[in-house]
Structure formats: structure tokens, C-alpha cells
Amino acid sequence: NVDAVGAESRIKNLLAQQPEAANLHAALGNLYAEQNQWAAAQDAYFNASRFAPNSADYAFNLAVSLDQLGKSGLALAQYQRALSLLDATGVTTPDRAQLAARIQALQSVLN
């Protein structure tokens, strides 16, 4: 827990110097996600995705955080965005099959 507090402090200090560094926002989101602080993780992932809008990973992480918060409709939109970014960029993460399965599951619940 002390390591997490120290890591959070270091990341926030770096963000103060580089407020538009998407990777730092994502790292902060990962830290919060590890602690099940999903609202804080969602905020950090939103910023990561805002500063790197073509990142499928950041869109996916945002979707997961929204999913954890019970915001299924918003999560679905971000999962779909992540899938579109996978197609557009040719990157290999997040896992396409996992992404497609979650999209299908949410669509069946929401429809």
C-alpha cells in the first residue's frame, strides 16, 4: 500500500509537469484499477483516451472502468470504439476476441 501511495504521488508529480501525457494518465488509471478505485480509474482513463484518441488500449481501459461502474451503455460505446481503433490502426491489443465477446454480451443485455 505504501508503494501504491508513492507511485501515485510520483505519477501525479509527473502529470503536473506533463499534463497532456496520455501514458501517465493511463498509468494512474492502472494504479487505481489495481486498487478497485473504479471512479478514479475511469477519470484517469478518460484523460488518457482524450490525449491519445487513436489508442485502442486506452479506449478499452476506459470501457472496462465504465463497465465496472455499471455504466453499460457508455462502456459498450467505448468497447466498440476500441474495436474500430483496432481495425484502423492494425495494433494487436486489446484482444479482439475478448473485445468482441464483451460487445456481444453488452448488446444482448442492453437490447
Side-chain angles (χ1 to χ4, degrees):
N1 197 10
V2 172
D3 287 344
V5 171
E8 179 181 8
S9 179
R10 285 189 298 279
I11 293 169
K12 286 183 174 181
N13 285 336
L14 290 170
L15 277 169
Q17 299 165 22
Q18 305 169 57
E20 295 183 9
N23 62 318
L24 294 175
H25 288 285
L28 188 59
N30 291 341
L31 185 68
Y32 290 141
E34 289 171 8
Q35 299 170 356
N36 291 321
Q37 295 181 33
W38 290 108
Q42 183 258 305
D43 186 54
Y45 289 141
F46 174 81
N47 285 324
S49 191
R50 180 168 57 111
F51 292 121
N54 294 326
S55 171
D57 280 325
Y58 296 163
F60 177 76
N61 289 341
L62 177 56
V64 170
S65 65
L66 290 164
D67 218 349
Q68 289 291 322
L69 292 168
K71 299 177 180 180
S72 300
L74 294 172
L76 176 59
Q78 291 302 318
Y79 284 126
Q80 291 170 325
R81 183 171 155 255
L83 186 58
S84 293
L85 288 168
L86 274 177
D87 293 338
T89 61
V91 296
T92 58
T93 60
D95 180 72
R96 179 178 298 280
Q98 179 186 6
L99 193 51
R102 189 61 189 145
I103 289 169
Q104 185 176 10
L106 284 174
Q107 285 174 331
S108 67
V109 169
L110 293 171
N111 290 333

